[in-house]
Amino acid sequence: MHFNNLYYQTFPNHYHSQMPMALANPMLVCKNQELANFLGLSEQRIRDADFLQVFSGQAVIEGMQPLAQKYTGHQFGYYNPDLGDGRGLLLGEVIAEDGLNWDLHLKGAGPTPYSRGGDGRAVLRSSIREFLACEALHYLGIPSSRALALTVGENPVYRETQEQAAICTRVCRSHIRFGHFEYLFHSKQTDELKKLVDFCIAHYFTECLAEPKPELAFFRQIVIRTAQLIAKWQAYGFCHGVMNSDNMSILGITFDFGPYAFLDAYQENFICNHSDHSGRYAFNRQPSIGLWNLNCLAHAFSGILSIDELKAALQEYEPEFLVHYRDLMQQKLGLTDWQPQDQPLLGQLLDLMQQHQLDFTNTFRLLSETDEQAELMAWFGATEQNMAWINAYLRRVNQQDISADERFKCMQKVNPNYILRNYLAQNAIEAAEKGDFSQVNELFELLKNPFTTQKDKQHFADNAPQWAQQLEISCSS
C-alpha cells in the first residue's frame, strides 16, 4: 500500500495533524473486500486483525499522515465560519490500482479543533446508514463516496440516549468541498485560494488544462457535474436531507450522509430530515438548492473569474439538469425517444403516484415488468383517470419499433428492484444494536445488485410497512 499525501504536502496551513482516537475493544462489522483490493488492501497484504486495528483508529499504516481539514460553508442558508472536520480524519491518499490517489477518511475518529465542543464520535446507527448508503448509490450508478469498513467499539456516546461509538471509513478521490473555497475567500486568503484552484485542476480536472481558461473550465465542470448528480437523485427518488454547501463535493458525488432517505410513497415535497422545519431541503427543492450552493461557490470564485463568466457558467446548470433528468426518465419509462407529449405523460404519472400514495420505486419497476392493463389497474386503482393514463402510456410505448420484451429488459436496467429503504436500514440498525450484524451484511450484499431479482430476497422489495411512515431521521449522529 503506497501513499502520496498531496493535500498534506500542499496546504500545511489549512488542516490540523492528529492521530485518531481509538475505539475500545473494536469489532469489524462489515468490510468491503472488493474496494479493499482496489486500494491495495487485499487479504494477502493486510491481515484482518491489522485491518481492524487501522480502521478502528488504533493504528496507522506507514505513510499515513492523519489530518482534519479546515473549511466553512452555508448551513441552512447562513454562512458559518467555524466549520471543519469535527469528527473526521483524512488518514492519507493511497495510490490505488488505477494509479490515482484515493482518500482514506475515518468518520468518528474523535474530537478535533473544529469539533465546536462535540465529542468527535459517530454512533453505530448513523455509521450503518452511511456505510450502506454509499454502496447502495454506487451500485445504482449514482456518483457517491464509497465505504470501505464499518467498525464498532464499546465506547459510550451520548446523543438523545446512550449509544455505541462506531467508525465508518469513507473513500473518494477527494474530500474537497465547496466550503474549502468559501473558507479561503471569506478569510481573504487570495493566494491560497488560487493555489487550491490550481491544485484541483492539476489533480482532479486535468482535462481543463487544455482549455483556453482552465479556471473557467474547472468551474463549469463543477456546475455540470452537480446538475447531473441531482438529476440522478430526482430520477431515483433520493433525498439527501442536508444540502449545506459544506456537504457539496467539487467532484459531483453524493457526500456527507446524514438524514437521507429514498422515497417510499411518492411525495414531491417530502422532507427526510426531522430537523428541517422549513423544508429547505425537501425532495422537490433539491435542484434549486444545488444552484443556490453553486452561487455560493461562484461568489468564492469572484476574484478569479469575471462576473459575466460566472453567470454564463451558472446558466448552464438548469439546461444540464433538465436534459439529464429527461434522459433518465425517458429510460425509466421505456421510451426510445422523447416527444412533446411525453412531458405531460410523465407529469401525470407523478401526479397519480402522489394522489394515490404509490411507491415511487415499485411503480416504475412494475411498468418495466408488465403491460397487462388489468395488472396496471390493480396497482393504480380502478378509476377513469388512472385508466386514461394507462391507456395513453400503453399507446405510446406500443408505437415504438421495439418489442415489449426488449423494452422490459432495457427498463429493468434502470428501474431498481431493491433500494435502501429507511425501514430496512432501521431493522438492520436495531439488530446491530443488540449485537447481530447479519442484517447489515445481508443488505450490503443485496444492494450490490439492485436491478436483478434475487432468489429468496423479494421481500426486500416490498412496499414500506405502515410503521415506517413514523420513522424520524435527524442530523444527530
Side-chain angles (χ1 to χ4, degrees):
M1 193 174 199
H2 302 288
F3 289 88
N4 183 19
N5 301 323
L6 297 171
Y7 192 89
Y8 181 95
Q9 298 161 14
T10 309
F11 301 103
N13 297 322
H14 307 311
Y15 61 77
H16 179 264
S17 294
Q18 67 179 76
M19 298 298 287
M21 180 182 289
L23 295 176
N25 297 318
M27 177 183 298
L28 182 62
V29 174
C30 204
K31 177 183 181 182
N32 188 339
Q33 188 60 57
E34 180 183 354
L35 183 56
N37 294 343
F38 171 73
L39 296 171
L41 286 163
S42 64
E43 292 171 331
Q44 292 75 28
R45 295 187 183 184
I46 180 168
R47 299 178 300 118
D48 279 346
D50 296 330
F51 187 93
L52 173 60
Q53 291 288 306
V54 172
F55 298 111
S56 63
Q58 296 199 341
V60 295
I61 297 173
E62 183 179 357
M64 289 181 173
Q65 295 171 309
L67 61 89
Q69 293 181 325
K70 171 61 184 170
Y71 45 83
T72 61
H74 284 76
Q75 298 189 310
F76 288 89
Y78 298 95
Y79 181 69
N80 187 340
D82 299 323
L83 304 178
D85 288 333
R87 57 183 169 170
L89 289 180
L90 175 60
L91 292 177
E93 300 170 54
V94 63
I95 303 174
E97 283 185 351
D98 60 1
L100 301 175
N101 280 28
W102 288 79
D103 285 1
L104 289 179
H105 187 275
L106 297 186
K107 188 171 181 179
T112 77
Y114 317 119
S115 297
R116 294 178 288 164
D119 58 23
R121 287 298 193 189
V123 297
L124 179 60
R125 62 180 162 85
S126 65
S127 300
I128 288 172
R129 284 174 55 81
E130 172 148 357
F131 184 92
L132 292 175
C134 289
E135 297 307 296
L137 289 176
H138 171 74
Y139 286 104
L140 284 171
I142 301 174
S144 174
S145 58
R146 301 291 305 279
L148 173 64
L150 174 61
T151 57
V152 62
E154 295 180 354
N155 318 66
V157 178
Y158 298 92
R159 297 296 185 259
E160 286 86 356
T161 60
Q162 181 176 313
E163 302 185 55
Q164 277 182 285
I167 290 176
C168 182
T169 303
R170 183 164 59 195
V171 176
C172 60
R173 284 278 287 126
S174 174
H175 278 72
I176 295 175
R177 315 151 184 265
F178 289 14
H180 282 82
F181 298 89
E182 291 185 88
Y183 163 59
L184 295 173
F185 173 78
H186 288 286
S187 60
K188 303 187 187 310
Q189 300 184 60
T190 305
D191 291 343
E192 289 295 294
L193 177 58
K194 179 62 167 63
K195 184 177 176 182
L196 180 62
V197 170
D198 292 342
F199 176 86
C200 292
I201 294 171
H203 296 293
Y204 312 119
F205 292 82
T206 53
E207 68 276 14
C208 296
L209 290 169
E211 296 294 325
K213 194 161 188 177
E215 299 89 347
L216 177 58
F218 170 48
F219 184 76
R220 288 183 64 251
Q221 277 298 306
I222 299 174
V223 171
I224 290 168
R225 292 188 190 191
T226 302
Q228 292 178 349
L229 172 68
I230 298 175
K232 289 184 173 70
W233 287 358
Q234 302 306 113
Y236 283 92
F238 178 78
C239 193
H240 184 277
V242 195
M243 288 179 64
N244 296 330
S245 65
D246 57 293
N247 292 341
M248 301 294 291
S249 164
I250 61 165
L251 302 176
I253 63 173
T254 316
F255 197 61
D256 271 3
F257 295 87
Y260 68 83
F262 283 91
L263 296 177
D264 290 317
Y266 181 69
Q267 181 182 341
E268 66 175 2
N269 61 348
F270 174 67
I271 302 168
C272 64
N273 182 355
H274 183 58
S275 303
D276 185 6
H277 305 297
S278 68
R280 177 180 176 83
Y281 299 137
F283 177 70
N284 61 347
R285 297 189 68 182
Q286 291 185 141
S288 61
I289 291 295
L291 181 56
W292 195 94
N293 286 329
L294 285 165
N295 273 276
C296 292
L297 182 63
H299 188 49
F301 271 68
S302 59
I304 296 173
L305 299 173
S306 72
I307 299 300
D308 288 342
E309 288 172 328
L310 291 168
K311 284 182 176 180
L314 290 170
Q315 286 171 357
E316 296 185 49
Y317 175 85
E318 185 176 2
E320 185 67 32
F321 169 83
L322 291 173
V323 167
H324 199 62
Y325 177 74
R326 188 199 69 187
D327 288 348
L328 290 168
M329 301 312 288
Q330 175 183 319
Q331 294 175 57
K332 288 174 73 68
L333 287 169
L335 304 177
T336 57
D337 63 354
W338 190 261
Q339 298 182 8
Q341 70 266 31
D342 296 331
Q343 188 61 49
L345 191 70
L346 172 60
Q348 291 160 15
L349 172 60
L350 296 176
D351 287 344
L352 291 178
M353 290 167 62
Q354 175 142 314
Q355 179 182 338
H356 299 292
Q357 286 295 277
L358 301 178
D359 187 90
F360 182 83
T361 298
N362 285 342
T363 297
F364 281 103
R365 185 69 182 191
L366 180 68
L367 294 176
S368 70
E369 293 177 336
T370 184
D371 56 5
E372 291 294 328
Q373 190 181 72
E375 292 182 49
L376 294 174
M377 284 296 291
W379 175 261
F380 282 92
T383 69
E384 289 186 12
Q385 184 184 29
N386 294 346
M387 176 66 81
W389 185 86
I390 289 169
N391 288 338
Y393 174 70
L394 293 179
R395 282 195 302 271
R396 174 69 178 91
V397 294
N398 289 330
Q399 291 170 354
Q400 302 181 125
D401 188 21
I402 182 175
S403 70
D405 286 343
E406 283 301 309
R407 185 177 82 247
F408 291 152
K409 286 179 183 178
C410 293
M411 292 175 72
Q412 288 170 25
K413 293 177 181 178
V414 295
N415 288 313
N417 195 36
Y418 309 105
I419 56 169
L420 181 58
R421 299 179 182 274
N422 255 349
Y423 87 92
L424 296 176
Q426 185 63 27
N427 286 339
I429 288 166
E430 290 179 6
E433 289 176 337
K434 297 174 183 176
D436 177 6
F437 303 116
S438 61
Q439 291 188 43
V440 175
N441 283 276
E442 185 176 21
L443 281 176
F444 172 56
E445 293 300 325
L446 175 84
L447 296 168
K448 290 180 180 179
N449 294 287
F451 301 103
T452 305
T453 300
Q454 301 176 42
K455 186 178 180 181
D456 301 326
K457 303 292 184 183
Q458 194 56 24
H459 60 285
F460 286 110
D462 291 345
N463 287 358
Q466 189 68 29
W467 63 263
Q469 297 180 18
Q470 310 305 317
L471 284 174
E472 294 182 346
I473 311 296
S474 71
C475 295
S476 170
S477 60

